Amino acid sequence: MATDTRSELQDFQAFLVRQLAKEGPMPSPEECVALWRERCEVLAAVREGLEDVAAGRVRPYEEVIEELRALHRSAP
């Protein structure tokens, strides 16, 4: 667990360095934490999606669109 925390803190530090290197207005510490949390949520969602693909829990786009079109056609 300590290794995970250390790694996450190192990642956060690198993120902060990138924020400081950007041109333009400097985000506040609170804004940096909010951006970091948003980034973590996006990465978690991407990982979850990739796990779904690997486990075969997804359907082809065309199949889903056709199902939605059929539902739309049958709606009153």
Side-chain angles (χ1 to χ4, degrees), residues 7-56:
S7 177
E8 188 173 5
L9 286 171
Q10 289 170 336
D11 290 347
F12 183 57
Q13 180 184 23
F15 171 80
L16 290 175
V17 168
R18 288 191 303 274
Q19 294 302 309
L20 291 169
K22 288 183 178 180
E23 295 291 324
M26 191 64 50
S28 71
E30 292 82 9
E31 290 170 324
C32 285
V33 170
L35 288 169
W36 174 255
R37 287 185 174 151
E38 181 181 340
R39 178 183 179 276
C40 290
E41 289 173 6
V42 168
L43 290 174
V46 169
R47 284 187 194 101
E48 183 180 341
L50 291 173
E51 288 171 8
D52 287 344
V53 169

